[in-house]
Amino acid sequence: MPSSVMPMSKQGDGHPQPPAAVSTTALRKSYGDKTVLDGIDLHIPAGSVFALLGPNGAGKTTAVKILSTLITADGGQAQVAGHDIATSPDGVRAAIGVTGQFSAVDGLITGEENMLLMADLHHLPRQEGRRVTAELLERFGLTEAARKPASTYSGGMKRRLDIAMTLVGNPRIIFLDEPTTGLDPRSRHTMWGIIRELVTGGVTVFLTTQYLEEADELADRIAVLHDGRIAAEGTAKELKRLVPGGHVRLRFTDPAAYQQAAAALREVTRDDEALSLQIPSDGTQRELRSVLDRLDTAGIEADELTVHTPDLDDVFFALTDNTLPHQPKETGR
């Protein structure tokens, strides 16, 4: 990890943490000589989206399997929905839903039959099972295809059916292990809308993904898993600030205004040929306002202002490849 990139505290503001839907302390798991999880600590508030990022083989799926009681940890502790995963696995299972990387849909039967089968597994009375099935099929836009074999469904439809099946038991915590892998962009955006709707309804979502844009769009907090450890954790905005290189660039068409701005602003990098100035900035509103206030005080107006900020791609590469990104991304203003 670069010296400029440090793990972030989950309580950086000094306030007490809200009740956790999922929490872990020093969670460990090895397979033979390979350590997959090397003491991870997590605190995921109820009613939020938490994204666990990491390269292939980083241990994301292993973490989900442990927390959903599919496999046991080698050490550490974890609570899910207030239940200890080791001493109260039945309590955990009753509170959660899990959608894995690969569809659990049975293609030989219809979508409706898949749903009713799940209702039977949850021991719902027949009438209740049919009511829940009808409601969820409608909610996920699958009513018209309900009586067609699931093998005829598109990838996006199968993933929607997957999540609908997960919701039959009315879980309060849902683990989504790379839920949009293999989906086209339109289906991916549809899935994002579904996830946002779930959280609005009070569900906690634990999401693993390789799509950094997905984590940026959805997650309240993000953790990057690397070499079995949490390399950094925070909001998307906090993580982006870990990577240096952000700046504001001002461009001018009037050479006199350019010279005045260069004199009025501090720590500027000049490009006399392009009539542009570059000022280090973390992209926050406060820093941007400071630059604009200094220009206003001097009676100067830039012709173009762009904010260059690192994105999650930059953070991911810095944390997992031990290399800093080449160029932060640019946003016009």
Side-chain angles (χ1 to χ4, degrees):
M1 187 188 306
S3 58
S4 57
V5 182
M6 297 296 291
M8 302 188 65
S9 168
K10 296 186 277 294
Q11 278 183 275
D13 57 6
H15 295 301
Q17 293 176 317
V22 178
S23 64
T24 73
T25 304
L27 203 63
R28 293 185 289 106
K29 183 67 178 179
S30 298
Y31 293 102
D33 294 334
K34 180 175 175 55
T35 300
V36 181
L37 298 178
D38 191 13
I40 65 171
D41 300 332
L42 298 174
H43 180 99
I44 304 171
S48 67
V49 179
F50 175 84
L52 186 61
L53 301 182
N56 283 333
K60 302 186 298 297
T61 297
T62 297
V64 169
K65 286 182 176 180
I66 290 174
L67 293 173
S68 56
T69 74
L70 294 175
I71 61 176
T72 58
D74 295 335
Q77 295 179 321
Q79 290 77 37
V80 176
H83 301 280
D84 188 281
I85 61 171
T87 61
S88 183
D90 289 342
V92 172
R93 293 173 196 139
I96 68 171
V98 182
T99 298
Q101 295 180 38
F102 305 103
S103 175
V105 172
D106 186 341
L108 298 178
I109 59 178
T110 68
E112 183 180 55
E113 288 168 339
N114 271 280
M115 294 289 293
L116 291 172
L117 178 60
M118 190 60 63
D120 287 342
L121 291 173
H122 282 280
H123 306 293
L124 297 183
R126 182 173 294 273
Q127 186 173 353
E128 174 73 2
R130 289 195 172 278
R131 182 189 66 79
V132 170
T133 291
E135 287 180 357
L136 288 170
L137 287 172
E138 181 176 1
R139 178 179 175 184
F140 286 89
L142 294 168
T143 301
E144 289 186 10
R147 299 193 175 180
K148 296 178 181 178
S151 59
T152 65
Y153 288 12
S154 67
M157 291 171 68
K158 286 180 180 176
R159 294 308 270 169
R160 297 206 307 273
L161 180 59
D162 236 346
I163 295 184
M165 291 165 61
T166 300
L167 293 180
V168 167
N170 195 30
R172 304 315 296 161
I173 301 170
I174 298 179
F175 293 92
L176 300 178
D177 191 15
E178 302 196 15
T180 62
T181 296
L183 296 186
D184 61 77
R186 184 181 299 276
S187 296
R188 184 170 296 130
H189 279 267
T190 298
M191 190 63 64
W192 292 356
I194 289 170
I195 292 170
R196 291 189 186 101
E197 184 181 318
L198 291 174
V199 177
T200 299
V203 173
T204 304
V205 174
F206 185 113
L207 171 74
T208 75
T209 181
Q210 295 183 63
Y211 298 114
L212 303 176
E213 179 190 9
E214 187 161 271
D216 205 352
E217 282 282 336
L218 296 174
D220 298 296
R221 293 188 70 80
I222 300 166
V224 180
L225 187 62
H226 180 53
D227 286 342
R229 295 178 177 270
I230 301 296
E233 181 184 349
T235 65
K237 185 178 292 185
E238 288 170 343
L239 291 178
K240 291 171 188 176
R241 290 178 191 162
L242 294 177
V243 180
H247 60 271
V248 173
R249 178 172 293 165
L250 303 172
R251 288 193 177 91
F252 300 84
T253 54
D254 180 3
Y258 166 71
Q259 295 292 349
Q260 286 178 303
L265 298 171
R266 299 185 298 272
E267 298 181 17
V268 296
T269 301
R270 299 173 54 130
D271 184 338
D272 293 338
E273 185 176 344
L275 298 183
S276 72
L277 301 173
Q278 182 173 305
I279 305 104
S281 170
D282 61 8
T284 60
Q285 184 176 339
R286 178 184 297 177
E287 287 211 1
L288 185 58
R289 186 185 294 118
S290 174
V291 171
L292 295 175
D293 285 347
R294 279 181 275 166
L295 290 176
D296 287 341
T297 300
I300 306 164
E301 184 171 338
D303 295 281
E304 181 182 334
L305 181 152
T306 53
V307 180
H308 298 241
T309 56
D311 63 12
L312 281 184
D313 284 28
D314 301 321
V315 175
F316 185 84
F317 289 130
L319 291 170
T320 62
D321 288 351
N322 297 326
T323 59
L324 290 175
H326 298 294
Q327 287 290 336
K329 303 300 181 287
E330 175 177 326
T331 304
R333 288 289 188 273

